[in-house]
Amino acid sequence: MHLAKLLPTFLAEADEHLQVLEEGVLRLEREGVEAGLVRELFRSAHTLKGSAGALGFRRMAELTHRMEGVLDALRRGRQDLEGLTDLLLACVDALRTLRQEVAEAGEERTEVKDLVRRLEAWERRPAETLHPVEIRIRMREDCPMRAARALALLQVLRREGEVEQVVPSEEEIRRGNVDLELSCRARVREPEALAQLLSGADVESVRVLPASDAPRDERWLDLGPQARGKLSDDPETTRRAALRTVRVDVERLDRIMNLVGELVVDRIRFQQIAHRLRTGGGDHALAEELLDAAAHLGRVATDLQAQVLKTRMLPIEHLFSRFPRYVRDLARRAGKEVEVVLEGQDVELDRSILEQIGGPLMHLVRNAVDHGIEPPEERERLGKPRAGRLRLAAYQEDGIVVVVEDDGRGIDTDRVRRRAVELRILSPEAASRLSDREAVELIFHPGLSTAAAVTDVSGRGVGMDAVRAGVQAVGGSLEVETERQKGTRFLLRLPLTLAIVRALTVTCGGERYAIPLSSVHEIVEVPAFRVHRVGSCRTTVLRGSVLPLVSVHEILELPVPPEPDRLLCVVVSSGRRRVGLWVDGVVGEGEVVVKPLGAYLGEVPGVSGATILGDGRVALILDPVRLVRLTVREEELAHVG
């Protein structure tokens, strides 16, 4: 078969195996050598080697062959990991680069000889001998912060070898459920030195005893292939599982979604025709029959729509899985220790949203590691564990909520106020009037950063405004909660899908437009005598707050009507600010199928897409956030809001 036909499948499978390898190596680094994990890594390297070799990608095959050799050594009982996980992660990075080169140019360009030599050198290195021991540690009754002390003792043990078992478990210790005694089973380099290393003012006694050297696998209960799920070793089971699934190009799914959208529009048109027939004195029986047919078409279209939408959904694990490695590398560069906690990875989101929130999420994580979480020494002085905690979670609640939370410094709102004054964003008087909650909102102002120094990671004040804009671009919102010395939590509230949205249809300049209901707060009529000019902006006062008014006619260069006695305004949100969009009329609300504008029209300022209305007319879908930015400078908003 021609290479071009096999390449897409190879690339998709390579992505999956590289993800398995990266996640597995991180687990290896965190948890030590475990037979099942090593088998999984070996299997991925072996499969990738076979696929790459079959298609003639020699460098990928050579590198995975050497990785296979190293993993085989671990599989046969070798335990020393010093320097190995870094080397294996470097190999995964090189394989990703080669994969990208193959995808773009059909050939490998990156050299891998140095990595191959380093893997061979590790294989030749004499294996380190570790001695199995059992350790009993008793802390003093007056030991303060026993949980933190117990975790510190575990870190000492890990530096000396591998910790296989600890009672109470590490999770219980982190919850604070620890008494005076700690029991461990470990393999260490020098058992004789352990008692000295583990002793200290808070430790009453340390006992180190030789342990029976039973093979590690015997201590693990294997629940069999069914429990291991996709890691089954049974080739027949694997083959049958593969036959139940097919790979579908995402563009084909998008086309199916567009066709389903056409069905939804036709259903609405049939219903409108039937209602006109019934109310216009036409054949009543025919109208009822048409309504029945439209109702049936509606049920089928709704079911089909739900199934197609489901095929576009992906677990958020696809996005979360990149962060453990990313945080590990960031933390090392910053000299910090960070534990990543992932929750709700099976929550599903439309793949389009997953693709678009990756950047904003990456920025929030980068800020948490660089600005939020303190260095280990500072955390110890504050009575916190040395390692900071970064939690990424997702759950369903009227859409999807994604949480990025750290247990670091929190946002210093006084410092944010001072910085806003220094940058002339606010006057000192205006800054002093802000509540803490309002001051936190200033971090979303372009150019405002409280970082003491600019690093290659962050500190230029570029990004938080883009983060919020990125979340709003998919119809979501971003909230922030913070407490000094306790940490910061960002909540991204996202819709399940971008393909179909509820929208308000309005008229302006003789055309119809749709405004996503997720941005609409209310519709108000403003008497002309209550409209004022502040700079280039129209404003009014709504329930005691200044509300900027934006003319949709002027933004879209439509004929501007004489200013009426009363302005009809749709109040939408732009961040925490609300803005009134002046329109001619409101038609109603309902579901619309979002369609891209296509390459012919390209990007139209203030417009996010198009839709076909029930009467067959095409309406542009307005993007409230971008509309406001087109006309009102943020500086003006900061002063008038």
Side-chain angles (χ1 to χ4, degrees), residues 54-79:
L55 295 183
F57 300 129
R58 184 182 54 78
R59 292 176 184 177
M60 294 181 82
E62 185 182 7
L63 186 55
T64 44
H65 175 65
R66 274 298 126 214
M67 291 171 72
E68 206 180 62
V70 164
L71 293 166
D72 188 46
L74 297 181
R75 199 169 56 165
R76 284 184 282 106
R78 191 163 167 178
Q79 301 289 328

PDB file of all heavy atoms in Angstrom, residues 54-79:
ATOM      1  N   ALA A  54       8.761  -0.590   9.593  1.00  0.00           N
ATOM      2  CA  ALA A  54       8.010  -1.072   8.428  1.00  0.00           C
ATOM      3  C   ALA A  54       7.839   0.017   7.378  1.00  0.00           C
ATOM      4  O   ALA A  54       7.762  -0.262   6.186  1.00  0.00           O
ATOM      5  CB  ALA A  54       6.648  -1.575   8.885  1.00  0.00           C
ATOM      6  N   LEU A  55       7.760   1.272   7.820  1.00  0.00           N
ATOM      7  CA  LEU A  55       7.575   2.384   6.867  1.00  0.00           C
ATOM      8  C   LEU A  55       8.909   3.022   6.448  1.00  0.00           C
ATOM      9  O   LEU A  55       8.921   4.019   5.733  1.00  0.00           O
ATOM     10  CB  LEU A  55       6.668   3.451   7.479  1.00  0.00           C
ATOM     11  CG  LEU A  55       5.219   3.016   7.745  1.00  0.00           C
ATOM     12  CD1 LEU A  55       4.405   4.167   8.285  1.00  0.00           C
ATOM     13  CD2 LEU A  55       4.574   2.475   6.475  1.00  0.00           C
ATOM     14  N   GLY A  56      10.011   2.489   6.937  1.00  0.00           N
ATOM     15  CA  GLY A  56      11.330   2.977   6.508  1.00  0.00           C
ATOM     16  C   GLY A  56      11.840   4.185   7.272  1.00  0.00           C
ATOM     17  O   GLY A  56      12.762   4.856   6.802  1.00  0.00           O
ATOM     18  N   PHE A  57      11.281   4.460   8.471  1.00  0.00           N
ATOM     19  CA  PHE A  57      11.766   5.591   9.265  1.00  0.00           C
ATOM     20  C   PHE A  57      12.863   5.071  10.199  1.00  0.00           C
ATOM     21  O   PHE A  57      12.626   4.680  11.339  1.00  0.00           O
ATOM     22  CB  PHE A  57      10.613   6.245  10.032  1.00  0.00           C
ATOM     23  CG  PHE A  57       9.535   6.767   9.122  1.00  0.00           C
ATOM     24  CD1 PHE A  57       8.203   6.443   9.315  1.00  0.00           C
ATOM     25  CD2 PHE A  57       9.864   7.572   8.030  1.00  0.00           C
ATOM     26  CE1 PHE A  57       7.221   6.906   8.468  1.00  0.00           C
ATOM     27  CE2 PHE A  57       8.883   8.045   7.174  1.00  0.00           C
ATOM     28  CZ  PHE A  57       7.571   7.706   7.388  1.00  0.00           C
ATOM     29  N   ARG A  58      14.069   5.061   9.671  1.00  0.00           N
ATOM     30  CA  ARG A  58      15.189   4.357  10.286  1.00  0.00           C
ATOM     31  C   ARG A  58      15.565   4.946  11.639  1.00  0.00           C
ATOM     32  O   ARG A  58      15.839   4.219  12.586  1.00  0.00           O
ATOM     33  CB  ARG A  58      16.403   4.428   9.328  1.00  0.00           C
ATOM     34  CG  ARG A  58      17.610   3.652   9.787  1.00  0.00           C
ATOM     35  CD  ARG A  58      18.746   3.825   8.813  1.00  0.00           C
ATOM     36  NE  ARG A  58      19.059   5.237   8.567  1.00  0.00           N
ATOM     37  CZ  ARG A  58      19.749   6.013   9.394  1.00  0.00           C
ATOM     38  NH1 ARG A  58      20.178   5.524  10.538  1.00  0.00           N
ATOM     39  NH2 ARG A  58      20.012   7.270   9.087  1.00  0.00           N
ATOM     40  N   ARG A  59      15.590   6.276  11.738  1.00  0.00           N
ATOM     41  CA  ARG A  59      16.043   6.888  12.995  1.00  0.00           C
ATOM     42  C   ARG A  59      15.070   6.612  14.144  1.00  0.00           C
ATOM     43  O   ARG A  59      15.472   6.364  15.273  1.00  0.00           O
ATOM     44  CB  ARG A  59      16.240   8.382  12.801  1.00  0.00           C
ATOM     45  CG  ARG A  59      17.404   8.676  11.870  1.00  0.00           C
ATOM     46  CD  ARG A  59      17.560  10.146  11.600  1.00  0.00           C
ATOM     47  NE  ARG A  59      18.616  10.371  10.631  1.00  0.00           N
ATOM     48  CZ  ARG A  59      18.968  11.545  10.142  1.00  0.00           C
ATOM     49  NH1 ARG A  59      18.344  12.621  10.546  1.00  0.00           N
ATOM     50  NH2 ARG A  59      19.929  11.653   9.266  1.00  0.00           N
ATOM     51  N   MET A  60      13.782   6.691  13.847  1.00  0.00           N
ATOM     52  CA  MET A  60      12.802   6.381  14.899  1.00  0.00           C
ATOM     53  C   MET A  60      12.939   4.927  15.328  1.00  0.00           C
ATOM     54  O   MET A  60      12.888   4.602  16.517  1.00  0.00           O
ATOM     55  CB  MET A  60      11.381   6.644  14.387  1.00  0.00           C
ATOM     56  CG  MET A  60      11.090   8.106  14.111  1.00  0.00           C
ATOM     57  SD  MET A  60       9.389   8.377  13.546  1.00  0.00           S
ATOM     58  CE  MET A  60       8.520   8.411  15.086  1.00  0.00           C
ATOM     59  N   ALA A  61      13.143   4.046  14.351  1.00  0.00           N
ATOM     60  CA  ALA A  61      13.284   2.619  14.666  1.00  0.00           C
ATOM     61  C   ALA A  61      14.544   2.374  15.499  1.00  0.00           C
ATOM     62  O   ALA A  61      14.524   1.606  16.463  1.00  0.00           O
ATOM     63  CB  ALA A  61      13.331   1.817  13.375  1.00  0.00           C
ATOM     64  N   GLU A  62      15.646   3.043  15.132  1.00  0.00           N
ATOM     65  CA  GLU A  62      16.910   2.834  15.855  1.00  0.00           C
ATOM     66  C   GLU A  62      16.808   3.328  17.298  1.00  0.00           C
ATOM     67  O   GLU A  62      17.240   2.658  18.238  1.00  0.00           O
ATOM     68  CB  GLU A  62      18.034   3.581  15.129  1.00  0.00           C
ATOM     69  CG  GLU A  62      19.405   3.323  15.721  1.00  0.00           C
ATOM     70  CD  GLU A  62      20.477   4.126  14.999  1.00  0.00           C
ATOM     71  OE1 GLU A  62      20.132   4.981  14.138  1.00  0.00           O
ATOM     72  OE2 GLU A  62      21.666   3.898  15.292  1.00  0.00           O
ATOM     73  N   LEU A  63      16.191   4.511  17.466  1.00  0.00           N
ATOM     74  CA  LEU A  63      16.096   5.075  18.813  1.00  0.00           C
ATOM     75  C   LEU A  63      15.172   4.234  19.706  1.00  0.00           C
ATOM     76  O   LEU A  63      15.495   3.948  20.863  1.00  0.00           O
ATOM     77  CB  LEU A  63      15.587   6.520  18.731  1.00  0.00           C
ATOM     78  CG  LEU A  63      15.572   7.310  20.034  1.00  0.00           C
ATOM     79  CD1 LEU A  63      16.938   7.317  20.710  1.00  0.00           C
ATOM     80  CD2 LEU A  63      15.104   8.753  19.789  1.00  0.00           C
ATOM     81  N   THR A  64      14.023   3.834  19.168  1.00  0.00           N
ATOM     82  CA  THR A  64      13.101   3.014  19.977  1.00  0.00           C
ATOM     83  C   THR A  64      13.709   1.640  20.258  1.00  0.00           C
ATOM     84  O   THR A  64      13.438   1.039  21.302  1.00  0.00           O
ATOM     85  CB  THR A  64      11.738   2.857  19.270  1.00  0.00           C
ATOM     86  OG1 THR A  64      11.950   2.587  17.883  1.00  0.00           O
ATOM     87  CG2 THR A  64      10.903   4.099  19.415  1.00  0.00           C
ATOM     88  N   HIS A  65      14.553   1.144  19.337  1.00  0.00           N
ATOM     89  CA  HIS A  65      15.225  -0.148  19.576  1.00  0.00           C
ATOM     90  C   HIS A  65      16.140  -0.041  20.799  1.00  0.00           C
ATOM     91  O   HIS A  65      16.161  -0.927  21.661  1.00  0.00           O
ATOM     92  CB  HIS A  65      16.046  -0.540  18.338  1.00  0.00           C
ATOM     93  CG  HIS A  65      16.848  -1.780  18.535  1.00  0.00           C
ATOM     94  ND1 HIS A  65      16.263  -3.011  18.748  1.00  0.00           N
ATOM     95  CD2 HIS A  65      18.196  -1.978  18.582  1.00  0.00           C
ATOM     96  CE1 HIS A  65      17.208  -3.915  18.925  1.00  0.00           C
ATOM     97  NE2 HIS A  65      18.396  -3.320  18.827  1.00  0.00           N
ATOM     98  N   ARG A  66      16.863   1.086  20.906  1.00  0.00           N
ATOM     99  CA  ARG A  66      17.766   1.271  22.053  1.00  0.00           C
ATOM    100  C   ARG A  66      16.962   1.487  23.339  1.00  0.00           C
ATOM    101  O   ARG A  66      17.335   1.012  24.409  1.00  0.00           O
ATOM    102  CB  ARG A  66      18.690   2.472  21.809  1.00  0.00           C
ATOM    103  CG  ARG A  66      19.917   2.185  21.067  1.00  0.00           C
ATOM    104  CD  ARG A  66      20.789   1.194  21.822  1.00  0.00           C
ATOM    105  NE  ARG A  66      21.116   0.056  20.987  1.00  0.00           N
ATOM    106  CZ  ARG A  66      21.271  -1.176  21.415  1.00  0.00           C
ATOM    107  NH1 ARG A  66      21.137  -1.468  22.680  1.00  0.00           N
ATOM    108  NH2 ARG A  66      21.568  -2.137  20.598  1.00  0.00           N
ATOM    109  N   MET A  67      15.849   2.227  23.239  1.00  0.00           N
ATOM    110  CA  MET A  67      14.988   2.401  24.418  1.00  0.00           C
ATOM    111  C   MET A  67      14.465   1.048  24.888  1.00  0.00           C
ATOM    112  O   MET A  67      14.389   0.763  26.083  1.00  0.00           O
ATOM    113  CB  MET A  67      13.807   3.328  24.077  1.00  0.00           C
ATOM    114  CG  MET A  67      14.204   4.768  23.825  1.00  0.00           C
ATOM    115  SD  MET A  67      12.839   5.754  23.181  1.00  0.00           S
ATOM    116  CE  MET A  67      11.794   5.896  24.630  1.00  0.00           C
ATOM    117  N   GLU A  68      14.120   0.221  23.925  1.00  0.00           N
ATOM    118  CA  GLU A  68      13.635  -1.123  24.228  1.00  0.00           C
ATOM    119  C   GLU A  68      14.685  -1.893  25.037  1.00  0.00           C
ATOM    120  O   GLU A  68      14.362  -2.585  26.012  1.00  0.00           O
ATOM    121  CB  GLU A  68      13.368  -1.832  22.904  1.00  0.00           C
ATOM    122  CG  GLU A  68      12.364  -2.920  22.924  1.00  0.00           C
ATOM    123  CD  GLU A  68      12.228  -3.508  21.525  1.00  0.00           C
ATOM    124  OE1 GLU A  68      13.203  -4.059  20.981  1.00  0.00           O
ATOM    125  OE2 GLU A  68      11.131  -3.385  20.984  1.00  0.00           O
ATOM    126  N   GLY A  69      15.955  -1.754  24.639  1.00  0.00           N
ATOM    127  CA  GLY A  69      17.033  -2.441  25.350  1.00  0.00           C
ATOM    128  C   GLY A  69      17.137  -2.005  26.806  1.00  0.00           C
ATOM    129  O   GLY A  69      17.279  -2.828  27.719  1.00  0.00           O
ATOM    130  N   VAL A  70      17.033  -0.694  27.025  1.00  0.00           N
ATOM    131  CA  VAL A  70      17.106  -0.161  28.388  1.00  0.00           C
ATOM    132  C   VAL A  70      15.915  -0.649  29.217  1.00  0.00           C
ATOM    133  O   VAL A  70      16.060  -1.075  30.369  1.00  0.00           O
ATOM    134  CB  VAL A  70      17.132   1.386  28.326  1.00  0.00           C
ATOM    135  CG1 VAL A  70      16.825   1.987  29.676  1.00  0.00           C
ATOM    136  CG2 VAL A  70      18.491   1.858  27.816  1.00  0.00           C
ATOM    137  N   LEU A  71      14.723  -0.608  28.610  1.00  0.00           N
ATOM    138  CA  LEU A  71      13.523  -1.045  29.328  1.00  0.00           C
ATOM    139  C   LEU A  71      13.570  -2.539  29.604  1.00  0.00           C
ATOM    140  O   LEU A  71      13.079  -3.008  30.632  1.00  0.00           O
ATOM    141  CB  LEU A  71      12.272  -0.676  28.508  1.00  0.00           C
ATOM    142  CG  LEU A  71      12.027   0.829  28.384  1.00  0.00           C
ATOM    143  CD1 LEU A  71      10.996   1.132  27.302  1.00  0.00           C
ATOM    144  CD2 LEU A  71      11.562   1.391  29.728  1.00  0.00           C
ATOM    145  N   ASP A  72      14.185  -3.297  28.694  1.00  0.00           N
ATOM    146  CA  ASP A  72      14.331  -4.735  28.924  1.00  0.00           C
ATOM    147  C   ASP A  72      15.217  -4.990  30.148  1.00  0.00           C
ATOM    148  O   ASP A  72      14.961  -5.916  30.923  1.00  0.00           O
ATOM    149  CB  ASP A  72      14.922  -5.391  27.684  1.00  0.00           C
ATOM    150  CG  ASP A  72      14.906  -6.907  27.799  1.00  0.00           C
ATOM    151  OD1 ASP A  72      13.858  -7.452  28.202  1.00  0.00           O
ATOM    152  OD2 ASP A  72      15.956  -7.535  27.540  1.00  0.00           O
ATOM    153  N   ALA A  73      16.263  -4.154  30.308  1.00  0.00           N
ATOM    154  CA  ALA A  73      17.137  -4.304  31.479  1.00  0.00           C
ATOM    155  C   ALA A  73      16.339  -4.065  32.771  1.00  0.00           C
ATOM    156  O   ALA A  73      16.509  -4.775  33.755  1.00  0.00           O
ATOM    157  CB  ALA A  73      18.297  -3.313  31.383  1.00  0.00           C
ATOM    158  N   LEU A  74      15.452  -3.061  32.750  1.00  0.00           N
ATOM    159  CA  LEU A  74      14.594  -2.817  33.925  1.00  0.00           C
ATOM    160  C   LEU A  74      13.642  -3.988  34.124  1.00  0.00           C
ATOM    161  O   LEU A  74      13.365  -4.402  35.249  1.00  0.00           O
ATOM    162  CB  LEU A  74      13.795  -1.519  33.742  1.00  0.00           C
ATOM    163  CG  LEU A  74      14.581  -0.213  33.640  1.00  0.00           C
ATOM    164  CD1 LEU A  74      13.626   0.963  33.481  1.00  0.00           C
ATOM    165  CD2 LEU A  74      15.458   0.003  34.874  1.00  0.00           C
ATOM    166  N   ARG A  75      13.147  -4.515  33.011  1.00  0.00           N
ATOM    167  CA  ARG A  75      12.205  -5.633  33.089  1.00  0.00           C
ATOM    168  C   ARG A  75      12.859  -6.857  33.715  1.00  0.00           C
ATOM    169  O   ARG A  75      12.209  -7.646  34.382  1.00  0.00           O
ATOM    170  CB  ARG A  75      11.708  -5.958  31.670  1.00  0.00           C
ATOM    171  CG  ARG A  75      10.454  -6.751  31.624  1.00  0.00           C
ATOM    172  CD  ARG A  75       9.867  -6.813  30.249  1.00  0.00           C
ATOM    173  NE  ARG A  75      10.777  -7.331  29.234  1.00  0.00           N
ATOM    174  CZ  ARG A  75      10.400  -7.738  28.030  1.00  0.00           C
ATOM    175  NH1 ARG A  75       9.140  -7.635  27.682  1.00  0.00           N
ATOM    176  NH2 ARG A  75      11.274  -8.183  27.164  1.00  0.00           N
ATOM    177  N   ARG A  76      14.176  -6.987  33.505  1.00  0.00           N
ATOM    178  CA  ARG A  76      14.889  -8.153  34.046  1.00  0.00           C
ATOM    179  C   ARG A  76      15.398  -7.909  35.462  1.00  0.00           C
ATOM    180  O   ARG A  76      16.128  -8.725  35.997  1.00  0.00           O
ATOM    181  CB  ARG A  76      16.035  -8.516  33.102  1.00  0.00           C
ATOM    182  CG  ARG A  76      15.540  -9.237  31.840  1.00  0.00           C
ATOM    183  CD  ARG A  76      16.645  -9.707  30.928  1.00  0.00           C
ATOM    184  NE  ARG A  76      17.202  -8.622  30.134  1.00  0.00           N
ATOM    185  CZ  ARG A  76      18.378  -8.054  30.339  1.00  0.00           C
ATOM    186  NH1 ARG A  76      19.128  -8.441  31.346  1.00  0.00           N
ATOM    187  NH2 ARG A  76      18.805  -7.074  29.576  1.00  0.00           N
ATOM    188  N   GLY A  77      15.041  -6.759  36.039  1.00  0.00           N
ATOM    189  CA  GLY A  77      15.340  -6.581  37.453  1.00  0.00           C
ATOM    190  C   GLY A  77      16.293  -5.456  37.796  1.00  0.00           C
ATOM    191  O   GLY A  77      16.547  -5.183  38.966  1.00  0.00           O
ATOM    192  N   ARG A  78      16.856  -4.794  36.798  1.00  0.00           N
ATOM    193  CA  ARG A  78      17.759  -3.685  37.122  1.00  0.00           C
ATOM    194  C   ARG A  78      16.945  -2.556  37.758  1.00  0.00           C
ATOM    195  O   ARG A  78      15.837  -2.262  37.326  1.00  0.00           O
ATOM    196  CB  ARG A  78      18.457  -3.215  35.843  1.00  0.00           C
ATOM    197  CG  ARG A  78      19.585  -2.271  36.127  1.00  0.00           C
ATOM    198  CD  ARG A  78      20.508  -2.143  34.930  1.00  0.00           C
ATOM    199  NE  ARG A  78      21.401  -1.024  35.108  1.00  0.00           N
ATOM    200  CZ  ARG A  78      22.341  -0.682  34.265  1.00  0.00           C
ATOM    201  NH1 ARG A  78      22.517  -1.398  33.163  1.00  0.00           N
ATOM    202  NH2 ARG A  78      23.118   0.352  34.491  1.00  0.00           N
ATOM    203  N   GLN A  79      17.504  -1.908  38.763  1.00  0.00           N
ATOM    204  CA  GLN A  79      16.726  -0.962  39.562  1.00  0.00           C
ATOM    205  C   GLN A  79      17.217   0.489  39.499  1.00  0.00           C
ATOM    206  O   GLN A  79      16.455   1.400  39.772  1.00  0.00           O
ATOM    207  CB  GLN A  79      16.756  -1.399  41.043  1.00  0.00           C
ATOM    208  CG  GLN A  79      16.195  -2.784  41.297  1.00  0.00           C
ATOM    209  CD  GLN A  79      14.696  -2.831  41.138  1.00  0.00           C
ATOM    210  OE1 GLN A  79      14.022  -1.857  41.405  1.00  0.00           O
ATOM    211  NE2 GLN A  79      14.180  -3.957  40.674  1.00  0.00           N
TER     212      GLN A  79
END
